[in-house]
Amino acid sequence: MRTKLFAGVAFAALLIPGAAFAQSTGSADFEGEEIVVTGSRVNTGQITIPDEPKTRVTVGAETISRQRPGQTVNEIINLVPGVSFQNNDATGAAGGTFTIRGFDSSRISQTLDGIPLNDTGNYAIYTNQQQDPETLESVSVNLGTTDVDSPTASAVGGTVNIRTRVPSEQFGAMLSGTYGDYIGIGNNMSRPMFRMFGMVDTGDIAHTGVRAFFSASNLEARQPFNNYGRLKKQQYNGRIYKSLGDNGDFVSLAGQYNENRNNFFGSVPLRTDRYASYTLVPATPTTPAFIQGLGTRITGPNSANRFPWNRDERYYNINYPCTINTAARPGLADTPSAAPVAPTAGASCGQEFDRRYNPSNTGSLRFGSRFSLTDSLVFTLDASYQYTKANGGGTVSLLEGCGTQGSTTLRTCGAGTYTGVINTTGNTGNGSPGGFGYYVGRDLNGDGDTLDTILAIAPSQTQTRRFGAVANLIYDLNDNNRVRLTYTFDYGRHRQTGEAGLVGTDGEPFDVFPVNNGILDSKGALIEKRDRKSIAMLNQVSGEYRGQFMDEKLIVKVGVRAPFFERRLDQRCFTVQGNGNVSCISPSQVAAYAAANPYTYFAPGVTTVGTVVRPTTGSCAITTRACVVGFAPPQKRTFNYNRALPNVGVTYKFGDGYSVYASYAKGLSVPGTDNLYNSFYYAAGSPQAKPVPETTDSFEGGFRYNTGSIQAQLSGWYTKFQNRTVSVYDIESDTSVYRNLGAVDKYGFEASIAYRPVRDLTVYAFTSYLHSKIKDNIEAGVTSTGTVNYFQTAGKREGGSPDWTVGGRVQGTIGLFDIGVQSKYTGPRFVNDENLPVYGCAGTISGGLCPSAQQYVIYYAKIPAYAVVDLDVRFNLGKLLDNQKTYFQLNVSNLFDRFYVGGLSGSSGFVGLPNRYSVGNAIIGTPRSITGSLVVAF
């Protein structure tokens, strides 16, 4: 039943909170989200709790506008219980680390107007590319579940649904200017940030009912930590909208184009040990053996550096400005310049992590519509096109010579030599091939020889073209019962390459997109570290029933979606290891390289394949394991995954504003392209060549209380996470590969309350608790005697996610001033899945483990808890000018300049590390910053 009950001035306050919360037009219409009932929702600064049979929280445009202009939506929804986000900078333009209920962003579906924003290959969410917040209506978070028409391959952790605002019926304009700086303790330089935003609403164009808005923004900022990096972002948005009557029908076309140009920064090794290296001093007759530390380890982004000990150490210098070695001496081997000595936390000129660029060009067109075919039959269609061009990666050394099979040192070009990004020594049995290099085979610096090593960039390049559609047919059986049938289509063409490009004398690349004009080898072929083409396709049908019973007190929803995923993969390089490492040979030499590195797969128990005998050394000697000899040649494979995914929920309302709800949903996460391409190392049809999808069974229940002044929700949940896939050590290939680690049980609760005691005061508070339990131990390695060792993960918590989060926001009005204070406490996080400290080894690792007496601690078992407080003050100067939309706003982030560990770079998407010897990188927590924004609108 689609109730519309308006009463006096309350309607104006309640209309906006009744905006669409679901991810597609069909889901919003089916759930009846334009329902507005006086007193059913409190205007709590627009953090609202829709009365649905699933745990959902929505942040509206009012709360969004109180955050720093231009901020990413993922930082804004950090006010939602169960969400944990660590921003990499104050502007939101540098990305961050994002989880919901402990699931990382690659296992969360993020949509904009119903279209998927996750990468088609690895399902990552790039939080720095999100739509300008001024153009948004709301951001809704489903905790642990998704809608039945969801166009996603990976949503076991929940969904984030972003909705674009509808253009105004009245002509209007908005111009916003923001300027600020970082003012953290110890800051040694000015690090300004500047943003401009403008938006125009056309209003009703020539009384046609057509209305539109168009916006543009530009951001330029220094990054918060080193003496080099910058952030640049420009974005353009628009939406054309026409209502087709007074029954909710419409057609809409929206578009976005976004450019990001930024450097990596602030990501430093998560270790706090003092010394640069360690050695094991043997025992003597008078002294026991001991570990001796040598040299000094300072703060910085390189592997020889460490995490800062305090907030004064957050700021570090890299090797900039600098000049690369430009010597071009005939007959001599010229190489890049050496790295400077401490205290500069730098590498050779242009080679630091912080010199890397992470550019992206993204765009989308989004069509939305609703048509009432009859009084009881509605058809909705959302369609989209998306384009992405992006890369990320560092520098490489181009070798002017050629690679010689069987040698790691010979570079003379001639018969039997190769060019390309290749290994020159083979795989004799689950081995690690050597002789890796970028062999160009021609003179690059013009000195007449091919002896030199030339600095270049070689990022991982991705270009994606994506088409999608969601069609819903919704039928009202009567006022209390409705059904819908949905078809969802998603098609992504994912081209992944790794071209190389030259750099200038200052270490800066000539073009941040080497794909535009990549370096060629002596045979005219591109030098590239990867070359693959993927098609990711989804065909999905789903159905859902929604019924209201007992005078609309009981609401029942029963749905099921049946996705059919197809992955068509074309690997154009040789797969040389189980971890996915490849050799990309010049095309004219593919046959010769394959003949020099013939491929043989020995299944467990098999000792002879044709005339080839299984090796008797290394892990191949364990005949119960698989064994691979040689390199897997370029090939194509197709993978198919499908599963019926039920989604059931019930809500019961009682008393005056009380309700309870419960739901069950099954989730699916299809293996990403990296995992699938890694499996090419194994013969088609073998067990290792069939990665299995992750699945979840999620149960939740909760209690809500909604009145005219209070909104409260308490929910408990349990998720059985199966086939958890992580990049870990593999005995068979003697390297790190994607492996199914079995089941993880996860459970917890969330609670929130919003209270508006008087018109000018809103109080909101929330908390969440998360616990997880890994079921099995992980194989660490095999000793020379064949003994298998294990990392002790069974019974432990997953690393990287906080147990407790607690936060809230208070907003009030005093005269012409609106003052808001918000805070969030993030509890301790285990660094790794063993819940042990991070260790180095001064001795010899055997079977994946280091003897206890030879281990030394380089970081604690837990990342400490932290709390960040933000302040926003708005001076409504427009009230003095009879203009309610003009104001000046001050935003202070991390008000008390708390020093903390931000996002942790985990393993294969997870925010935690797999074992005690894994040394990850972590982002330094963003220092205190302040901005002032003048917003003029009418």
Side-chain angles (χ1 to χ4, degrees):
M1 182 176 180
R2 306 173 69 77
T3 305
K4 294 186 179 180
L5 176 60
F6 306 146
V9 295
F11 167 62
L14 295 172
L15 180 58
I16 296 177
F21 301 143
Q23 58 191 14
S24 71
T25 302
S27 288
D29 189 83
F30 186 78
E31 294 175 3
E33 289 184 347
E34 72 279 2
I35 294 176
V36 182
V37 181
T38 301
S40 68
R41 291 195 182 101
V42 56
N43 186 357
T44 59
Q46 294 216 9
I47 298 176
T48 58
I49 303 170
D51 208 2
E52 279 292 309
K54 61 181 68 174
T55 304
R56 178 184 292 170
V57 179
T58 297
V59 180
E62 166 64 17
T63 298
I64 292 173
S65 73
R66 302 289 170 163
Q67 312 304 306
R68 173 169 287 118
Q71 187 59 265
T72 176
V73 297
N74 298 85
E75 166 69 12
I76 295 170
I77 62 174
N78 212 17
L79 291 170
V80 173
V83 172
S84 182
F85 182 73
Q86 287 83 36
N87 215 347
N88 290 356
D89 81 314
T91 70
T97 305
F98 178 52
T99 65
I100 295 179
R101 290 182 175 175
F103 288 99
D104 68 282
S105 64
S106 69
R107 292 164 173 85
I108 299 164
S109 171
Q110 189 150 311
T111 64
L112 173 63
D113 299 332
I115 74 168
L117 298 180
N118 299 68
D119 186 274
T120 57
N122 61 13
Y123 313 135
I125 297 172
Y126 301 103
T127 62
N128 61 330
Q129 299 171 8
Q130 302 306 303
Q131 186 161 308
D132 284 336
E134 294 92 340
T135 67
L136 302 181
E137 177 184 272
S138 66
V139 185
S140 182
V141 182
N142 284 355
L143 300 168
T145 60
T146 184
D147 295 332
V148 297
D149 62 352
S150 175
T152 177
S154 180
V156 293
T159 61
V160 178
N161 309 316
I162 306 166
R163 304 293 296 185
T164 301
R165 61 179 288 265
V166 175
S168 173
E169 295 181 349
Q170 305 296 321
F171 175 77
M174 172 185 179
L175 181 65
S176 170
T178 300
Y179 181 82
D181 206 336
Y182 293 94
I183 54 173
I185 294 173
N187 189 10
N188 56 2
M189 62 183 290
S190 177
R191 305 172 190 271
M193 56 192 90
F194 177 71
R195 179 177 184 266
M196 291 293 296
F197 174 86
M199 180 165 57
V200 174
D201 278 88
T202 65
D204 189 345
I205 301 175
H207 304 290
T208 61
V210 177
R211 40 189 160 130
F213 80 78
F214 303 95
S215 70
S217 66
N218 185 74
L219 167 72
E220 294 190 16
R222 294 293 299 265
Q223 53 82 8
F225 300 112
N226 67 36
N227 57 326
Y228 167 73
R230 297 179 184 275
L231 301 167
K232 294 183 179 181
K233 178 179 180 179
Q234 56 177 305
Q235 188 176 114
Y236 307 90
N237 289 284
R239 185 178 187 183
I240 303 171
Y241 181 93
K242 177 173 174 56
S243 174
L244 301 179
D246 57 2
N247 59 356
D249 290 354
F250 72 94
V251 291
S252 169
L253 180 65
Q256 180 199 105
Y257 178 73
N258 183 88
E259 281 191 5
N260 280 84
R261 298 291 185 269
N262 55 281
N263 303 101
F264 292 103
F265 61 85
S267 179
V268 300
L270 188 61
R271 56 189 305 167
T272 53
D273 51 321
R274 179 182 301 275
Y275 300 108
S277 62
Y278 298 83
T279 184
L280 181 65
V281 179
T284 69
T286 58
T287 61
F290 67 95
I291 298 172
Q292 182 179 20
L294 304 171
T296 301
R297 188 177 292 270
I298 65 173
T299 301
N302 306 302
S303 59
N305 299 135
R306 59 167 171 80
F307 200 85
W309 291 338
N310 52 59
R311 56 187 176 187
D312 289 334
E313 284 195 334
R314 291 176 295 189
Y315 311 99
Y316 57 89
N317 291 332
I318 66 169
N319 182 19
Y320 176 83
C322 62
T323 303
I324 66 173
N325 181 16
T326 57
R329 302 170 296 174
L332 296 176
D334 301 311
T335 60
S337 54
V341 297
T344 301
S348 299
C349 184
Q351 299 184 48
E352 296 95 344
F353 178 83
D354 292 38
R355 293 293 295 269
R356 298 181 180 186
Y357 280 88
N358 184 209
S360 63
N361 298 344
T362 59
S364 68
L365 289 173
R366 311 182 302 279
F367 173 79
S369 62
R370 180 187 188 275
F371 304 96
S372 295
L373 304 182
T374 69
D375 288 343
S376 57
L377 185 63
V378 172
F379 174 73
T380 69
L381 175 64
D382 295 334
S384 63
Y385 168 75
Q386 297 182 74
Y387 171 74
T388 298
K389 179 180 181 180
N391 71 45
T395 58
V396 298
S397 295
L398 301 181
L399 306 174
E400 290 185 332
C402 297
T404 301
Q405 183 69 31
S407 173
T408 61
T409 57
L410 293 178
R411 299 180 187 173
T412 303
C413 296
T417 63
Y418 304 98
T419 57
V421 186
I422 61 171
N423 292 92
T424 58
T425 64
N427 168 26
T428 58
N430 288 349
S432 300
F436 178 79
Y438 285 68
Y439 299 95
V440 183
R442 66 184 180 91
D443 181 17
L444 293 174
N445 63 356
D447 64 358
D449 62 40
T450 57
L451 304 173
D452 308 321
T453 302
I454 306 299
L455 185 67
I457 62 168
S460 298
Q461 178 74 46
T462 297
Q463 295 185 83
T464 302
R465 290 172 172 83
R466 189 173 192 175
F467 304 86
V470 180
N472 280 271
L473 196 61
I474 303 169
Y475 181 64
D476 288 329
L477 301 173
N478 51 48
D479 285 348
N480 293 309
N481 296 274
R482 51 189 353 218
V483 294
R484 68 162 163 164
L485 181 66
T486 304
Y487 171 69
T488 302
F489 175 74
D490 188 28
Y491 176 94
R493 179 188 180 276
H494 201 60
R495 190 73 172 93
Q496 295 174 297
T497 56
E499 295 83 358
L502 293 174
V503 301
T505 57
D506 58 355
E508 286 293 298
F510 290 120
D511 188 342
V512 295
F513 285 113
V515 67
N516 294 339
N517 187 24
I519 296 172
L520 305 179
D521 67 11
S522 58
K523 297 173 176 57
L526 282 168
I527 289 288
E528 51 188 348
K529 65 181 182 182
R530 66 175 186 174
D531 185 7
R532 62 197 199 189
K533 176 183 175 182
S534 312
I535 302 297
M537 187 159 56
L538 164 66
N539 286 280
Q540 176 177 279
V541 293
S542 57
E544 190 172 20
Y545 163 79
R546 186 178 194 272
Q548 299 181 148
F549 306 93
M550 301 172 61
D551 196 22
E552 301 181 11
K553 293 180 180 179
L554 178 65
I555 299 174
V556 177
K557 292 180 67 175
V558 179
V560 62
R561 65 185 182 106
F564 297 85
F565 296 101
E566 183 177 355
R567 298 291 184 263
R568 304 174 193 166
L569 308 185
D570 181 3
Q571 174 60 274
R572 301 176 181 182
C573 299
F574 288 79
T575 306
V576 302
Q577 273 186 289
N579 63 358
N581 283 351
V582 295
S583 284
C584 298
I585 194 79
S586 186
S588 63
Q589 298 179 309
V590 168
Y593 194 70
N597 298 279
Y599 177 82
T600 305
Y601 170 80
F602 298 90
V606 175
T607 59
T608 304
V609 177
T611 60
V612 183
V613 178
R614 173 192 279 258
T616 57
T617 59
S619 61
C620 286
I622 307 174
T623 57
T624 57
R625 304 275 181 169
C627 173
V628 172
V629 174
F631 299 162
Q635 58 189 286
K636 298 179 181 180
R637 293 185 186 179
T638 298
F639 298 83
N640 291 283
Y641 298 92
N642 55 78
R643 191 72 57 92
L645 305 172
N647 196 318
V648 182
V650 59
T651 299
Y652 178 69
K653 303 176 183 179
F654 62 96
D656 186 10
Y658 297 96
S659 65
V660 292
Y661 68 96
S663 69
Y664 163 75
K666 192 170 189 66
L668 177 71
S669 180
V670 174
T673 51
D674 285 341
N675 189 356
L676 296 175
Y677 276 114
N678 288 6
S679 72
F680 279 38
Y681 182 69
Y682 299 98
S686 65
Q688 300 91 338
K690 301 175 183 177
V692 298
E694 299 174 337
T695 63
T696 55
D697 291 278
S698 296
F699 305 83
E700 64 181 6
F703 167 82
R704 295 189 182 108
Y705 177 60
N706 287 336
T707 69
S709 60
I710 296 176
Q711 253 192 133
Q713 179 172 262
L714 173 65
S715 62
W717 60 274
Y718 167 77
T719 296
K720 188 171 184 60
F721 184 21
Q722 297 170 307
N723 301 324
R724 178 179 184 253
T725 302
V726 182
S727 178
V728 297
Y729 175 80
D730 175 65
I731 292 174
E732 293 170 357
S733 60
D734 192 29
T735 187
S736 293
V737 299
Y738 286 89
R739 279 289 175 261
N740 177 0
L741 302 183
V744 179
D745 288 342
K746 302 161 74 82
Y747 60 87
F749 71 85
E750 293 113 8
S752 65
I753 183 169
Y755 177 47
R756 191 178 188 185
V758 294
R759 178 185 180 88
D760 292 332
L761 179 63
T762 300
V763 181
Y764 167 73
F766 67 90
T767 187
S768 67
Y769 173 75
L770 164 68
H771 185 83
S772 60
K773 184 178 181 180
I774 301 170
K775 292 295 187 179
D776 301 307
N777 289 323
I778 300 173
E779 290 182 347
V782 58
T783 67
S784 58
T785 60
T787 301
V788 178
N789 291 331
Y790 292 87
F791 291 121
Q792 302 304 302
T793 55
K796 305 297 179 60
R797 297 177 58 137
E798 291 178 302
S801 296
D803 50 1
W804 285 95
T805 62
V806 181
R809 176 177 173 84
V810 177
Q811 181 178 315
T813 300
I814 302 175
L816 297 177
F817 292 90
D818 296 339
I819 302 173
V821 178
Q822 61 191 45
S823 177
K824 183 166 185 178
Y825 164 85
T826 299
R829 294 166 279 167
F830 280 112
V831 176
N832 58 59
D833 288 348
E834 289 192 279
N835 301 173
L836 293 174
V838 182
Y839 291 103
C841 184
T844 301
I845 291 180
S846 175
L849 300 179
C850 179
S852 299
Q854 299 173 12
Q855 293 183 155
Y856 55 92
V857 175
I858 62 176
Y859 195 76
Y860 324 106
K862 285 186 176 182
I863 297 172
Y866 68 93
V868 172
V869 178
D870 299 333
L871 171 70
D872 56 272
V873 179
R874 177 178 295 184
F875 174 48
N876 295 293
L877 59 92
K879 292 182 179 180
L880 301 176
L881 308 172
D882 196 25
N883 180 348
Q884 301 292 326
K885 299 180 180 180
T886 296
Y887 57 86
F888 176 81
Q889 183 165 300
L890 184 74
N891 288 90
V892 182
S893 299
N894 196 0
L895 179 64
F896 300 110
D897 198 27
R898 180 66 187 268
F899 170 67
Y900 62 97
V901 178
L904 174 63
S905 300
S907 175
S908 63
F910 278 90
V911 291
L913 297 166
N915 60 68
R916 72 192 81 166
Y917 303 121
S918 299
V919 182
N921 272 31
I923 295 292
I924 304 169
T926 305
R928 179 171 52 210
S929 62
I930 184 171
T931 58
S933 304
L934 179 61
V935 179
V936 180
F938 62 90

